[in-house]
Amino acid sequence: MKKAIFKLLALTLFTLMSFSINAQTTLIAKNSTWKYHDGNTDQSTAMTDTTFNDASWSSASGVFGVGSVDGATISTTVNNYVTVYFRKKITLSTRLYGSLDMNIICDDGFVVYLNGNEIQRYNIGAGAVTFATTASTAIGGAEEGDYDAYSVSIDTSDLVIGDNYITVQLKNVSTGSSDLGFDMELIANAYTAPPTYVVNSGDNWDYLDDGNAPTTGWNSDTAWSIPAAWDNGPSLLGYGTIDGRTKATTISTAANPAAYFRTEFTITDTSDVKYLNLDYVRDDGIVIYINGTEVFRDGLPSGTVTNSTYANQTIGGTDEGAWNNTV
């Protein structure tokens, strides 16, 4: 005798967040164009804000500097003051980045901000950084023009879809310093999201096991009301002996061709979901729907599946209770 479509059901469903962005994305290339202010006037920390008006600032490409910055070719000469300010707008279509790699030419010190929040400093003492703050020590020799590497972890909430701003306070060691230098490359690394479980093994399911077909909307209507003929119980749901597994809910032992199961889950932002990963136990055949769309079937013939459709495979032994997977 052919086995029923559903003899048991257990399902674990989790979402994986979108990885459609590249593993690494260059947000600022070396020698890029920046807005900068080298007028020896205090721009305060307001210059780090995303709403700051930098229309009066100059615009040019790096490397920025004055004097001799060993190992680097200066493209834009700036005034040799204690503080020079830089701003760079970055427009993003996704915020799914988990860390930033910065390669920076710096002579002598810097503080970097992302959307107004400090994310890195070098050769600057602890505490608040003001217009008058100087670098801690003088940088000399080959270190002046090297791109030194820095990596910082960020949260996706640190970014916005649209305009983001990297801002920098470049600091000289003193007003009498002979040189000053700056350039930056910024590379974003894709955010690797942990799986978010939306249905777990052991969760409660509504189910119909009386052999009848469910009413319209059972697998598609999120507002569908559970009829009185349906029961509810935790998974694993089934009847008989399931090798390697212990049933949590025993459904009807009548040899009906089909039983129906329904559960609900909420995903707040579907744009963040790349795909669904389903782990399931079935004996003998299964069809899985999400919001009315069939997403997977196993052990059933092609075509329309009804309450009189039998599975076309017989599952036995340890395969009865084994977890299977589909993405």
Side-chain angles (χ1 to χ4, degrees):
M1 177 179 176
K2 292 181 180 179
K3 300 289 185 178
I5 289 178
F6 291 109
K7 187 175 177 182
L8 63 95
L9 175 67
L11 179 70
T12 298
L13 174 66
F14 62 88
T15 67
L16 287 180
M17 310 312 283
S18 174
F19 300 122
S20 58
I21 59 175
N22 296 328
Q24 285 192 318
T25 303
T26 299
L27 301 181
I28 302 175
K30 294 176 181 178
N31 310 122
S32 288
T33 299
W34 292 71
K35 298 299 292 287
Y36 69 96
H37 179 81
D38 62 347
N40 201 29
T41 58
D42 187 359
Q43 301 297 291
S44 79
T45 55
M47 58 79 58
T48 68
D49 293 343
T50 58
T51 58
F52 180 79
N53 185 355
D54 59 14
S56 64
W57 286 25
S58 302
S59 177
S61 58
V63 174
F64 298 87
V66 65
S68 176
V69 180
D70 289 358
T73 301
I74 294 174
S75 297
T76 301
T77 300
V78 296
N79 290 320
N80 194 15
Y81 295 125
V82 166
T83 302
V84 178
Y85 299 98
F86 295 88
R87 284 173 55 88
K88 179 72 173 176
K89 182 172 72 174
I90 303 167
T91 303
L92 300 178
S93 58
T94 179
R95 53 186 179 86
L96 294 181
Y97 297 110
S99 64
L100 299 174
D101 294 334
M102 296 179 290
N103 298 307
I104 300 177
I105 289 177
C106 173
D107 181 1
D108 291 299
F110 68 77
V111 185
V112 178
Y113 307 84
L114 170 62
N115 290 337
N117 298 309
E118 180 183 333
I119 59 172
Q120 185 70 51
R121 69 172 60 189
Y122 167 73
N123 200 22
I124 302 288
V129 178
T130 69
F131 174 64
T133 301
T134 62
S136 299
T137 60
I139 302 300
E143 290 186 35
E144 293 180 341
D146 287 346
Y147 282 94
D148 292 325
Y150 307 86
S151 183
V152 295
S153 297
I154 60 171
D155 191 88
T156 56
S157 62
D158 294 331
L159 301 169
V160 297
I161 294 176
D163 292 341
N164 297 259
Y165 287 85
I166 290 288
T167 54
V168 180
Q169 289 195 59
L170 178 66
K171 293 295 188 177
N172 221 330
V173 71
S174 70
T175 55
S177 175
S178 62
D179 50 22
L180 185 69
F182 169 76
D183 193 31
M184 176 192 287
E185 178 184 43
L186 181 66
I187 299 170
N189 300 297
Y191 171 65
T192 303
T196 301
Y197 286 83
V198 292
V199 178
N200 283 283
S201 176
D203 283 356
N204 276 13
W205 290 72
D206 297 305
Y207 64 92
L208 178 67
D209 61 348
D210 62 4
N212 293 314
T215 57
T216 301
W218 77 276
N219 64 350
S220 60
D221 185 356
T222 57
W224 189 72
S225 296
I226 304 298
W230 286 59
D231 291 309
N232 180 275
S235 63
L236 185 127
L237 304 104
Y239 68 88
T241 299
I242 310 303
D243 289 355
R245 300 288 304 215
T246 300
K247 298 188 302 295
T249 300
T250 299
I251 65 174
S252 173
T253 57
N256 298 316
Y260 297 87
F261 304 86
R262 174 186 167 102
T263 192
E264 297 181 7
F265 57 90
T266 300
I267 296 175
T268 303
D269 186 357
T270 57
S271 67
D272 283 344
V273 179
K274 179 62 175 178
Y275 58 87
L276 300 176
N277 192 320
L278 299 98
D279 294 320
Y280 63 93
V281 175
R282 54 82 182 93
D283 180 4
D284 292 300
I286 193 170
V287 184
I288 299 174
Y289 307 88
I290 295 178
N291 293 339
T293 299
E294 180 182 328
V295 296
F296 180 73
R297 74 169 61 192
D298 177 42
L300 287 163
S302 60
T304 301
V305 176
T306 71
N307 64 319
S308 61
T309 303
Y310 281 93
N312 60 10
Q313 65 182 10
T314 299
I315 304 298
T318 58
D319 288 342
E320 290 182 342
W323 283 103
N324 302 272
N325 175 264
T326 186
V327 175

